[in-house]
Amino acid sequence: MQEDHDCIYCVVDLHALTERQDPATLRQQTLEMTAVLLACGLDPSKHILFAQSAVRAHVQLGWIFNCVARVGWLNRMTQFKDKAGKDRENASSGLYVYPNLMAADIHAYHATRVPVGDDQRQHLELANDIAKKFNHDYGVDFFPNIEPLVLGPAARVMSLRDGLKKMSKSDPSDQSRINLTDDADTIALKIRRAKTDPLPLPDDPGGLADRPEARNLVGIFAALRDTDAAGVLKEHGGQGFGPFKAALIELLVEQLSPIASETRRRLDDPESIVSTLRAGAERAAAIAEPIVAEAERLVGLVRMGP
């Protein structure tokens, strides 16, 4: 997307606070996430990369959106139900309203296209609902409609331990996910331990319908090979999971090892990462602050500064 879009990349450290975080770990993970993005090829000289908490306009607009969004809309958010589980009364209120802050992350820049995983479609629909209600309530055409960009065959990557559960950094089991900083031995161990079923791989994607773990591993393979499930099964259909996992391990290591190595190199110079985030925050704020200032004026807040 860097080749034909003006891109804004945000490391969402405020969203991370929806679950209890060790402060030192959160700081380190913010630096690590930034290093990973840079290692993947993000060019901060051409596009904007910053930490969410460094641009206060996100929180300012997030509060306005808390007041625009309806409780009934948030009650329909399936991700809150999934994350809160049966103990939803003890979930943080931040987890409940964080889709409103996500909407602010987008609308603070008048962004129109947002690359997301398939699980975030509902949150973008909410962001559009918020924009429409804001525009209607204040008689303006201020916030534009957002188009979700769901890219590639791995639009929803599932846990290696449970094919019905999303792969997530917040999962207590590190065996549930592949981290972009994992070394080759760790990747191999996780894939060998990944949950599967006793049947061989089918010859066509239709055979994956009721096999979530198989479908997930095939999807990961397809994304790394830049193909689709049919392409993977044309090569590996009929195989047991032993040889398929061996091929997946080889592909993962080939694709991810350079990223892990470059990430470690960048983490050896944390000041350079902070400098990149600081410069990105200044550029992001220059876009977001005037937009949010106008939103504040529209709702009737008295501006005390320029």
Side-chain angles (χ1 to χ4, degrees):
M1 292 185 65
Q2 293 187 102
E3 296 177 6
D4 51 10
H5 291 78
D6 295 322
C7 299
I8 298 172
Y9 300 91
C10 178
V11 180
V12 288
D13 51 351
L14 292 175
H15 288 312
L17 294 178
T18 58
E19 296 185 3
R20 175 73 173 87
Q21 301 287 337
D22 173 72
T25 300
L26 177 59
R27 293 186 193 101
Q28 180 60 28
Q29 288 179 339
T30 300
L31 297 178
E32 186 176 288
M33 184 72 251
T34 306
V36 165
L37 291 170
L38 294 169
C40 285
L42 192 155
D43 186 345
S45 67
K46 296 180 180 178
H47 303 280
I48 298 174
L49 172 63
F50 67 103
Q52 181 188 24
S53 62
V55 179
R56 297 298 177 177
H58 290 239
V59 180
Q60 292 167 267
L61 187 58
W63 177 254
I64 292 174
F65 285 176
N66 281 343
C67 301
V68 172
R70 305 292 91 181
V71 170
W73 300 353
L74 293 174
N75 285 340
R76 292 194 291 271
M77 297 297 105
T78 57
Q79 193 166 97
F80 173 77
K81 297 174 186 176
D82 291 342
K83 285 198 170 187
K86 296 178 181 178
D87 199 25
R88 61 183 299 171
E89 293 299 318
N90 285 322
S92 78
S93 57
L95 182 63
Y96 184 68
V97 300
Y98 107 84
N100 297 338
L101 179 56
M102 178 178 168
D105 297 335
I106 301 163
H107 287 306
Y109 301 91
H110 279 177
T112 55
R113 310 184 80 194
V114 182
V116 291
D118 188 59
D119 61 302
Q120 292 293 330
R121 283 181 187 269
Q122 191 183 39
H123 287 163
L124 288 194
E125 291 169 2
L126 175 70
N128 279 330
D129 288 341
I130 290 172
K132 290 173 185 175
K133 189 172 191 319
F134 182 98
N135 290 344
H136 176 269
D137 288 353
Y138 295 101
V140 294
D141 185 19
F142 186 61
F143 290 117
N145 191 68
I146 305 163
E147 177 189 349
L149 299 179
V150 181
L151 307 172
R156 184 187 288 259
V157 182
M158 311 308 283
S159 167
L160 298 178
R161 311 297 287 171
D162 181 352
L164 299 175
K165 182 180 178 183
K166 189 181 78 166
M167 185 180 285
S168 172
K169 295 187 296 294
S170 60
D171 193 304
S173 172
D174 193 59
Q175 296 297 311
S176 68
R177 59 185 171 270
I178 299 293
N179 303 300
L180 293 182
T181 51
D182 285 344
D183 60 30
D185 289 342
T186 302
I187 290 172
L189 183 63
K190 288 179 177 180
I191 294 299
R192 289 194 195 103
R193 290 179 173 175
K195 184 180 178 183
T196 55
D197 57 52
L199 301 176
L201 288 171
D203 294 322
D204 64 81
L208 297 171
D210 298 319
R211 302 175 62 186
E213 285 78 24
R215 185 169 63 248
N216 188 41
L217 294 182
V218 168
I220 293 171
F221 197 109
L224 293 166
R225 184 60 69 80
D226 196 21
T227 183
D228 56 18
V232 175
L233 295 175
K234 183 177 180 181
E235 181 181 354
H236 296 280
Q239 287 184 359
F241 280 100
F244 179 69
K245 283 185 173 183
L248 178 56
I249 290 167
E250 182 178 356
L251 184 57
L252 277 162
V253 171
E254 173 191 323
Q255 294 288 329
L256 301 187
S257 288
I259 295 172
S261 177
E262 176 63 9
T263 298
R264 288 190 291 270
R265 186 188 73 79
R266 289 182 177 274
L267 285 171
D268 286 337
D269 186 7
E271 286 303 315
S272 176
I273 297 174
V274 171
S275 177
T276 296
L277 290 174
R278 184 182 299 115
E282 292 175 359
R283 294 167 64 195
I287 299 171
E289 287 179 358
I291 292 172
V292 174
E294 177 61 9
E296 291 177 329
R297 186 192 71 79
L298 288 170
V299 303
L301 299 182
V302 177
R303 296 285 295 174
M304 301 298 175

